[in-house]
Amino acid sequence: MPELPEVETFKRYFDSTSLNKNINEIMVRDNRVLNVEENNFKIKIIGKTFNSSQRHGKYLFVDLNSIFLVFHFGMTGDFEYFSKIDEEPTHSRILFKFQNDDYLSYISQRMFGKVDLTEKVETFIKEKKLGPDAFNMTFQDFKSALKKRSAYAKSALMDQSIVAGIGNIYSDEILYQAKIHPKTKINKLDELKLKELFDIIKRVLKCGIEKKGELSTYPKNYIIPYRNKKGICPKCTGKIQRLEISGRHGFFCPSCQIQIN
DNA sequence: AGCGATGTTCGCCG
DNA sequence: TCGGCGAACATCGC
């Protein structure tokens, strides 16, 4: 379930299981997830160790000394660390074998995720046109990223070039908590409302990280649990509505979330 | 059986 | 240029 909170959860899992272990072997189960040539990928990594990791938006970068491994998880990506080869998970696409005979699997059921290499994190971020990381940005970052933008609020939040890390689910939650209609044009928000939105982005993402992306454990006044079935708004008991914005569907409460025009 | 799904990217068009 | 839309990518579960 990889939006920012999930990728942050993957990062913590990765850090606690896989850092500082020598990589002895790499098994590429399906090279369609690789953005680099398979042999080159292996040559660049085997014999090295994962020194540290950093997250930007939905991307995870791993420092390998002079080169960075880049993980993106698409819609169905995950990591799994295990000890015996017969425990290899279904949809394991890239398997790293460490010197201690343990394994780390990069899982991708639908193979929308991609594994890449880059010389420099900043260059990669620039090439992918990623905006500031949603969790680490300052209010100034946020304001200047939105400058002269007129997209729908939901589209703007999901636009990785404006803010990196927010996807379909969290954009719904953020707008619900901020009481903003998804189709409000983002440039219609005044400074005060923008600051409120900024604070809510942080709060919702922080909650997501603390709950490790387990949606069922979210607070009672969150709309996320109501995304699948058109339910009752937990704040006003009105009916949750579904809407479509550029091929993605979202949910909102028409009486709590007011459109500003 | 067909549709939709937590993501990204590209081409089209207003 | 910006931004909305729809398709494409690949697979699986409902």
Side-chain angles (χ1 to χ4, degrees):
Chain A
M1 320 170 175
E3 291 183 41
L4 188 152
E6 290 82 11
V7 177
E8 180 63 29
T9 304
F10 296 164
K11 171 185 159 47
R12 293 177 186 189
Y13 180 80
F14 178 88
D15 286 354
S16 69
T17 59
S18 304
L19 288 185
N20 306 314
K21 289 173 181 159
N22 194 66
I23 302 151
N24 277 14
E25 204 180 333
I26 296 176
M27 283 144 282
V28 176
R29 303 302 193 203
D30 196 317
N31 62 19
R32 287 175 295 176
V33 300
L34 283 181
N35 263 349
V36 283
E37 198 278 319
E38 187 175 326
N39 282 319
N40 182 37
F41 181 76
K42 290 182 177 174
I43 288 164
K44 291 256 168 66
I45 300 174
I46 291 172
K48 297 195 175 176
T49 63
F50 299 139
N51 297 313
S52 64
S53 76
Q54 61 190 102
R55 186 192 53 72
H56 187 101
K58 303 172 189 170
Y59 289 86
L60 185 64
F61 300 91
V62 180
D63 181 3
L64 289 162
N65 247 356
S66 79
I67 197 156
F68 291 86
L69 186 52
V70 187
F71 290 107
H72 187 274
F73 299 91
M75 290 206 279
T76 55
D78 204 352
F79 281 140
E80 196 167 320
Y81 186 92
F82 57 95
S83 297
K84 296 206 173 75
I85 190 66
D86 61 7
E87 298 169 51
E88 184 174 5
T90 341
H91 312 304
S92 168
R93 306 302 185 192
I94 309 282
L95 192 58
F96 301 90
K97 185 176 187 185
F98 299 108
Q99 195 157 34
N100 68 354
D101 286 340
D102 283 353
Y103 299 88
L104 178 75
S105 169
Y106 167 83
I107 300 166
S108 184
Q109 184 197 90
R110 282 166 225 159
M111 295 200 278
F112 279 16
K114 281 283 176 287
V115 178
D116 207 344
L117 290 173
T118 188
E119 308 272 319
K120 237 183 140 207
V121 172
E122 294 72 33
T123 314
F124 185 91
I125 288 173
K126 211 170 183 182
E127 278 170 7
K128 291 285 177 185
K129 298 185 173 38
L130 299 180
D133 177 79
F135 195 63
N136 296 316
M137 68 179 172
T138 63
F139 184 51
Q140 277 309 317
D141 289 335
F142 186 53
K143 265 204 312 193
S144 59
L146 287 177
K147 224 177 233 164
K148 295 183 198 154
R149 296 308 203 103
S150 61
Y152 292 146
K154 182 168 169 69
S155 306
L157 289 182
M158 288 196 299
D159 185 336
Q160 303 301 299
S161 71
I162 297 179
V163 177
I166 301 169
N168 198 23
I169 286 185
Y170 284 91
S171 63
D172 276 1
E173 190 62 61
I174 289 161
L175 292 172
Y176 175 70
Q177 297 301 331
K179 300 188 189 321
I180 295 169
H181 188 291
K183 285 202 170 180
T184 296
K185 300 282 181 88
I186 198 75
N187 57 4
K188 298 293 177 190
L189 305 180
D190 60 27
E191 172 115 4
L192 198 68
K193 194 69 188 170
L194 223 48
K195 179 63 166 61
E196 194 191 332
L197 176 59
F198 172 79
D199 291 338
I200 287 170
I201 289 173
K202 302 283 186 147
R203 194 199 308 156
V204 168
L205 294 177
K206 182 160 179 274
C207 172
I209 293 168
E210 279 166 4
K211 303 287 186 187
K212 299 182 173 147
E214 284 165 36
L215 305 183
S216 58
T217 64
Y218 282 16
K220 285 194 179 63
N221 66 346
Y222 268 40
I223 198 176
I224 282 179
Y226 302 88
R227 287 187 92 266
N228 295 323
K229 40 192 186 292
K230 285 200 274 181
I232 300 299
C233 168
K235 291 187 176 175
C236 81
T237 71
K239 249 191 128 190
I240 306 263
Q241 259 181 36
R242 181 185 152 130
L243 88 169
E244 195 109 8
I245 292 181
S246 59
R248 311 304 300 278
H249 75 265
F251 291 86
F252 73 109
C253 170
S255 48
C256 289
Q257 294 172 254
I258 297 132
Q259 186 149 9
I260 304 164
N261 283 313

